[in-house]
Amino acid sequence: MADSSFDIVSKVDRQEVDNALNQAAKEISQRYDFKGVGASIGWSGERIEIRANAEERAKAVLDIFQSKLIKRGISLKALDAGEPQASGKEYKLGCSLKEGISQEDAKKVAKLIRDEGPKGVKAQVQGDELRVSSKSRDSLQEVQRLIKERDFDFAVQFVNYR
């Protein structure tokens, strides 16, 4: 019988991020406490840029955006938000999305699977993802449970479960 496998990846659904961004922009335009403060959120190339006339307002816009991401099922570990920077009369806050698992993070996960996972499970790094294979599907589900219990500093998803 062939080995069963799945991939551990760190990807973000751009459409869901765009939907969360549009929801946040709509809420900012409608909320009374954001009237006349020049608060806005939008794409700036590959980054998300938040603008406001005060540092606290920029952080409040970021908080709204984060709540919209959570409602759409996107982990906040995928969002890399900077600190508000003064730019003339307004504050700008840049956010970027982290995708892919770095080599050292992939090695940490593979070592965790080798050390604490069930016997007979193999993990191999393939670019910015990790392929986990085993003859037993139960072992693969145990590995998924083990990885979900750990708190990594990047978002993880399981795809291509065969």
Side-chain angles (χ1 to χ4, degrees):
M1 189 173 138
D3 282 4
S4 299
S5 68
F6 68 90
D7 295 335
I8 301 172
V9 297
S10 180
K11 290 194 166 90
V12 176
D13 185 356
R14 293 273 182 188
Q15 186 61 51
E16 289 296 331
V17 173
D18 200 39
N19 291 342
L21 187 95
N22 291 335
Q23 285 179 338
K26 185 175 182 181
E27 183 173 327
I28 291 162
S29 70
Q30 292 177 343
R31 273 185 37 179
Y32 178 76
D33 56 338
F34 284 110
K35 295 280 187 224
V37 297
S40 67
I41 183 169
W43 287 103
S44 175
E46 284 291 305
R47 293 176 56 84
I48 297 164
E49 193 168 272
I50 297 171
R51 297 170 181 252
N53 66 356
E55 186 175 350
E56 294 79 33
R57 291 281 179 224
K59 288 183 178 178
V61 172
L62 176 64
D63 191 45
I64 290 170
F65 180 54
Q66 287 175 336
S67 72
K68 300 299 180 191
L69 286 174
I70 290 170
K71 284 182 183 174
R72 294 214 153 259
I74 297 173
S75 173
L76 292 182
K77 293 177 183 177
L79 183 71
D80 187 19
E83 286 296 314
Q85 304 289 325
S87 173
K89 291 184 177 180
E90 67 181 5
Y91 283 83
K92 291 182 182 178
L93 193 149
C95 305
S96 59
L97 298 170
K98 295 187 283 188
E99 289 190 301
I101 301 174
S102 68
Q103 288 291 325
E104 63 261 5
D105 287 338
K107 287 178 184 175
K108 283 181 198 171
V109 175
K111 182 172 176 10
L112 171 74
I113 292 169
R114 260 195 326 271
D115 294 347
E116 298 182 27
K119 299 285 183 244
V121 176
K122 297 184 283 290
Q124 58 206 56
V125 179
Q126 295 180 334
D128 61 351
E129 58 186 42
L130 193 70
R131 165 91 23 109
V132 180
S133 57
S134 172
K135 293 203 182 303
S136 164
R137 287 185 172 240
D138 292 340
S139 296
L140 292 180
Q141 289 175 340
E142 194 173 321
V143 168
Q144 286 183 351
R145 186 186 49 74
L146 176 72
I147 290 172
K148 283 179 187 173
E149 287 174 356
R150 289 295 161 106
D151 190 31
F152 294 108
D153 57 347
F154 55 93
V156 294
Q157 294 89 28
F158 307 113
V159 296
N160 296 337
Y161 190 76
R162 298 188 182 95

